[in-house]
Amino acid sequence: MITDAPATQLNRFSQTLTQKMDNPAAKAMLYGIGLTADDMQKPQIGIASTGYEGNTCNMHLNGLSVYVKQGIQANGLVGLIFNTIGVSDGMTNGNDGMRYSLPSRDLIADSIESVVMAQWYDGVVTVVGCDKNMPGAIMAMARLDRPGIMVYGGTIRSGHYKGQKLDIVSAFEALGKKYAGSISDEDYEGVIRNSIPGAGACGGMYTANTMASSIEAMGLSLPFSSSYPATHEGKQEECKKIGAAMRVLLERNITPADIITKKSLENALTVVMALGGSTNAVLHYLAIARSAGLDLSLDDIQAISDRVPFLADLKPSGKYYMEDMLAIGGVPAVMKYLYQNGMIHGDCLTVTGKTVAENLADIPELDFENQSIVRPLSNPIKATGHIQILRGNLAPKGSVAKITGKEGLRFEGVAKVCEHEGEVIEALSKGEILPGQVIVIRNSGPKGGPGMSEMLKPTSAIMGAGLGDKVALITDGRFSGGTHGFVVGHVTPEAFDGGPIAFVKDGDKITLDAVGRELTLHISDEEMAERRSHWTQPVPPFTKGVLGKYIRNVKSASEGCVTDEA
Ligand code: FES
């Protein structure tokens, strides 16, 4: 709720600890960490970092948090850094590790909510850099509804080997080439050693850059947050500007409820479609909307896909990297173009305290004469969005397809059933993946996986083996933002819950139809019922620990896989 608050009320929450007589221990502890009597009058801002040393997406975030803190302090606020977890999908390696990836999103949300509530922070800045960190942070900010800003850690620079630009997907695709015998041992090692040159999130329009771009469009990070690479000086400058922006949010009591609205969610998803973003955005925006108490359905997302063309020639299906975007004006220039063409709501409020339209007023326009990353509306890569919601007897509650148009709009083939993603790699290494197959990877859903694994390894290996345009892949799991090819994920209900994907057999005919938006298993209703009659629900793969809790609480992919609803 926006109100011009008297300066004395900027510490509306922390004053419980600093101004009241009844909690001397808290005040003593705050003196103990070095605060002064003067500091006791100031608002306190929690700075949540998912920084940790173990991977390149997050390795620099604690350093960026220090710059954020400097900017916070310079604006008469107290900044207090705390950490939460992060899981890098690039390092989860197969089902065992990947099971923890999507659950980590909700753990991040829960942990940020817990610290900010328990410590009485007046606002929160989240410094995040990988796929699940960003939606987790935004879900927490929506639940907390205190002034909040997200800082994206920034995209990685591309790697280089023998004149070729590389990124993390190059490493996975090298594995497929190894299986196909089309890469030498020396070059395989060369690609692995040179794909990742330092700090930053995976460099294409994969999930991290998709979420960063669309969260900026939604208004919860400063303009250009998604466009500065991690090692660009602009990233440090952005961090230092956070304090001034936070001061404005506190003074006007602008909270996420003022920023996350149905219209701003539409802006976010419009940018996802225009940039060719990851299918994971569907899952995460369904969850963000629920955290904000808003209705957003798969049909809403399809409607946005129907009206927004796919414009950006970015990886994974295109040529360019996120680092290339800054030179053409970054995400703000794309937003301006979309706004000028009536595709973005200009009246949505943002963390600058201004509207989207006001933020875009001084942004230079895209120069279509001198750049080829973003195409004009008159010449799109695809006239409508690349994300399509398919339903049908194989996915009665929906599935999410990524259709760039390059792979065609329809695929008909015979099922090759893999009970988990490891079976695909095994089949590939034995030469059992053949043109014309629809590879069905099941038992990979939110409960059955558990954790709804990403299929980056199988899809990249298939691409590397030269089969990318010859097979299709469907799963009740997810796809990495780095995936391209004819793929359909989030098949709901999942196999664990007795969804029809559980009943597919090798050799069944399957049709993926992105025009009719159908996913069809060509068996009769009677045959489906017969197969169902022999099915029993699998024993949950975990009953304790994080994954046991996850299986008991997680909602379906069509409901964003949230874990905090009854
Ligand atoms: Fe972290 Fe890709 S694995 S951004």
Side-chain angles (χ1 to χ4, degrees), residues 47-261:
I47 303 166
S49 165
T50 54
Y52 66 108
E53 291 180 333
N55 64 68
T56 43
C57 339
N58 298 283
M59 62 186 272
H60 58 306
L61 301 182
N62 288 343
L64 293 181
S65 301
V66 173
Y67 292 118
V68 171
K69 178 167 177 157
Q70 288 170 3
I72 295 271
Q73 308 276 78
N75 280 277
L77 313 169
V78 171
L80 296 161
I81 297 172
F82 65 96
N83 278 89
T84 180
I85 64 152
V87 167
S88 163
D89 291 356
M91 302 191 63
T92 48
N93 197 37
N95 216 13
D96 287 348
M98 184 56 90
R99 284 181 171 127
Y100 287 88
S101 172
L102 186 59
S104 77
R105 180 194 73 181
D106 294 57
L107 291 174
I108 291 165
D110 293 349
S111 62
I112 294 173
E113 176 192 339
S114 300
V115 175
V116 173
M117 290 299 289
Q119 303 297 299
W120 295 88
Y121 292 143
D122 301 297
V124 60
V125 179
T126 53
V127 185
V128 282
C130 201
D131 302 11
K132 311 302 169 306
N133 305 353
M134 282 177 268
I138 300 297
M139 287 160 70
M141 289 157 74
R143 290 183 202 168
L144 288 161
D145 201 28
R146 296 183 189 184
I149 306 174
M150 189 194 89
V151 177
Y152 176 42
T155 190
I156 197 170
R157 302 283 192 180
S158 52
H160 295 86
Y161 180 68
K162 292 193 172 175
Q164 287 219 310
K165 275 187 167 189
L166 304 174
D167 70 359
I168 189 162
V169 175
S170 315
F172 281 112
E173 291 185 352
L175 180 64
K177 288 181 185 162
K178 202 168 165 60
Y179 288 142
S182 60
I183 190 170
S184 69
D185 288 349
E186 184 197 339
D187 285 347
Y188 178 72
E189 190 63 22
V191 169
I192 305 300
R193 281 179 186 252
N194 293 288
S195 294
I196 307 288
C202 298
M205 188 44 67
Y206 311 147
T207 304
N209 282 321
T210 299
M211 293 309 297
S213 304
S214 53
I215 288 166
E216 180 180 326
M218 189 166 63
L220 272 173
S221 54
L222 292 181
F224 290 99
S225 181
S226 59
S227 307
Y228 294 128
T231 53
H232 191 279
E233 61 189 19
K235 186 50 69 182
Q236 290 180 14
E237 292 309 311
E238 175 194 346
C239 292
K240 291 177 188 166
K241 283 184 196 159
I242 293 296
M246 178 56 79
R247 181 108 206 156
V248 170
L249 297 183
L250 287 165
E251 286 174 355
R252 294 177 56 197
N253 195 22
I254 297 174
T255 66
D258 301 307
I259 294 172
I260 307 176
T261 62

Side-chain angles (χ1 to χ4, degrees), residues 279-347:
T279 49
N280 283 314
V282 173
L283 206 59
H284 298 323
Y285 278 103
L286 290 173
I288 288 167
R290 291 171 98 102
S291 295
L294 298 167
D295 281 333
L296 182 77
S297 68
L298 287 174
D299 293 333
D300 292 328
I301 295 170
Q302 181 65 58
I304 295 166
S305 180
D306 288 345
R307 68 174 171 78
V308 181
F310 171 23
L311 299 176
D313 191 19
L314 292 164
K315 285 186 172 295
S317 62
K319 185 170 162 201
Y320 295 98
Y321 292 88
M322 190 68 187
E323 65 175 349
D324 301 321
M325 284 285 287
L326 189 59
I328 66 159
V331 168
V334 178
M335 286 177 65
K336 181 158 186 159
Y337 182 60
L338 295 170
Y339 170 61
Q340 288 173 330
N341 285 279
M343 294 185 172
I344 288 263
H345 305 288
D347 56 348

